[in-house]
Amino acid sequence: MNFNDASEIRRRDPSGMLDLIRRLPDMCAEAWRLPVEPSLPAVRPANIVALGMGGSGIGGDLLRAVLNDDASIPVVAVKDYRAPGFLGPTSLVFACSYSGNTEETLAAYDQAAGRGATCVVVTSGGDLLRAARDRGHPAVVVPKGLPPRAALAYLFIPMLAALGRAGVIPSLETEMREAVEILKGMTRRLGPDDASSPARRLAERLQGQIPVIYSSSPFLEPVAQRWKDQFNENAKTFSVWNTFPELNHNETVGWGVDETLARTIHVIILRDRAEPARLAQRVSITKDLAFRRAAGVDEIQSEGEGKLARLLSSICYGDMTSWYLALLRGVDPTPVPVIEELKKRLAEMGAV
Ligand code: PA5
């Protein structure tokens, strides 16, 4: 694979996943400005719940990561047909589905609406938008025609912007601007125009191995999951994730695995400038006790000061690495036929 040859890249990435990854900074800036229509009424919710699956669900995990330390109310991501028992009239619910046709999200949204929660939908259309219009619920309508995972910015950032505008949280506009600037630099540095792209080098090291992604702190947990998801969907390869400190209480022991198996694992540790010193000590000890048995260990540092920059920079690195790995493996990064086939077979079995 010659990453300096634009025509070879176009041949191997015919739907242009690379361009979508490179557009992340612009999408973030645009997503921040997307309107909520009709606008969200002034609310003082008792809890915030984000419903969504897969590429449309990770936004809820990121929302929790951003708000967790400072929010005085619970922020919960739900990836299920069922709304949690506590969800009720004082809940603020974001129902996120790129297609607007994901049955789990539609079912949980119906329950949230039925319980009188304040609901906002984030979608490009489908049944979800129709239902929101019928109910008079506010909607953020995002651009159509993207693979859901490439629409991450549109599915995540409007929730933060809407919460800021409604006065539920302080505005994160300054943090957003920092994130966009950092992402602009990263997409240039990591893309194939730069022959020394560290994401490309990492993908080369990952060939023939199972990427195991560990976040050094729970803050970066959704990023570890996103790396895994992108390896699954873009590079069509198996991958798993876990987080410190939890993995020290179980998975670390699993590193007693047979030598041949251990040599198929490539560990990627996601580090963060704000990770507590105690967690850094845990990472260091665990590298010595366990990860030294792996085929390789790489560490990726988040960039920026604010939480948004640190989360999104780490995501950008993973998205780009998964793209290189797809092309190195000779697979088209965009289509996900297995997901489509599964949804088709479920539809043939009838509605939920
Ligand atoms: O990446 C994908 O295509 C999936 O993970 C989808 O996001 C998931 O199946 C949910 O679909 P939607 O995003 O349309 O709600």
Side-chain angles (χ1 to χ4, degrees), residues 136-181:
H137 285 163
V140 180
V141 182
V142 310
K144 281 187 184 300
L146 300 168
R149 61 193 183 281
L152 172 78
Y154 296 130
L155 293 156
F156 160 48
I157 287 165
M159 292 192 275
L160 280 178
L163 289 170
R165 282 187 222 124
V168 181
I169 60 166
S171 170
L172 294 177
E173 187 155 6
T174 309
E175 281 208 17
M176 190 70 248
R177 267 202 236 108
E178 184 209 8
V180 169
E181 284 317 306

Side-chain angles (χ1 to χ4, degrees), residues 47 59 74 93 114-115 118 131 154 202 206 282:
N47 48 70
V93 174
R115 292 186 206 165
T118 301
Y154 296 130
L202 174 56
L206 288 173
R282 282 181 178 273

